[in-house]
Amino acid sequence: MVKKLYLVRHATAEETQSGFKDIDRNLNATGLRDANRLGNFLASNQIMPDMVISSDAIRAQQTAQVIAEQIKFTFSKIKVDADIYEASVRTLLRVINEFENGDEVLLVAHNPGITFLAEYLTGENVGNMAPGSLTVIKLQANSWKEISEKTGSLESIRHPD
């Protein structure tokens, strides 16, 4: 059975400001535009994940919501997971291995973990996933529990326009 993992690095956020926590940063105008374009790209390619899961950082949630709006994915079905914020590959892999349903999942996370995860799963040199970029990984597995190092193949990478 084929599974697809859509890895999205949250879009561009406001600069860190004194007195504000990193986790509370919002998308800036460029980030909103790039998230919107990414959502439109997914919609125009008729990509509808079974699940959307996001870090609990505001910028990641906003990225997921903008994409969800474009692909007509119900906001209330977006799963927010605090473990994804600043997560290592090991933590991101655990999150993926815990998926129970669906064959296509969109995961909104952060660098460097999201880039390292793409490289770990595919064995490819992905480089640096820029804010608002998408990496699509095809996985041959019957269950998300089977996903581990080099079990996927890199299908595509899309950077913001």
Side-chain angles (χ1 to χ4, degrees):
M1 176 169 278
V2 175
K3 296 197 178 294
K4 280 203 181 171
L5 184 60
Y6 300 93
L7 299 178
V8 175
R9 180 175 175 198
H10 67 77
T12 306
E14 299 170 335
E15 294 296 321
T16 304
Q17 297 178 12
S18 179
F20 286 91
K21 295 178 182 176
D22 177 71
I23 199 167
D24 294 330
R25 291 190 299 142
N26 288 298
L27 293 180
N28 64 18
T30 300
L32 288 168
R33 181 199 69 211
D34 290 346
N36 208 352
R37 287 181 177 170
L38 182 53
N40 282 327
F41 169 80
L42 294 170
S44 67
N45 285 283
Q46 300 176 352
I47 295 170
M48 173 54 90
D50 301 305
M51 182 170 54
V52 174
I53 184 166
S54 171
S55 157
D56 62 340
I58 300 299
R59 61 193 180 275
Q61 290 183 65
Q62 289 172 333
T63 301
Q65 289 170 351
V66 169
I67 291 170
E69 183 177 8
Q70 298 303 318
I71 63 173
K72 309 289 191 259
F73 188 92
T74 307
F75 284 3
S76 63
K77 291 184 177 181
I78 297 172
K79 182 180 178 197
V80 176
D81 188 334
D83 288 345
I84 296 171
Y85 179 66
E86 296 185 339
S88 65
V89 170
R90 176 180 285 176
T91 300
L92 291 170
L93 184 61
R94 180 186 48 77
V95 168
I96 291 166
N97 290 154
E98 291 174 355
F99 296 162
E100 294 182 11
N101 300 317
D103 293 326
E104 297 191 12
V105 176
L106 188 144
L107 175 67
V108 182
H110 308 267
N111 250 1
I114 193 86
T115 297
F116 293 157
L117 176 66
E119 293 178 341
Y120 178 82
L121 293 176
T122 64
E124 300 283 338
N125 182 8
V126 172
N128 179 43
M129 284 182 65
S133 62
L134 166 72
T135 299
V136 182
I137 299 173
K138 188 187 324 185
L139 303 144
Q140 293 290 335
N142 293 316
S143 164
W144 291 103
K145 289 174 180 53
E146 297 174 12
I147 307 304
S148 64
E149 186 174 13
K150 296 181 183 175
T151 56
S153 59
L154 184 62
E155 189 168 288
S156 65
I157 298 175
R158 184 179 190 283
H159 298 285
D161 298 332

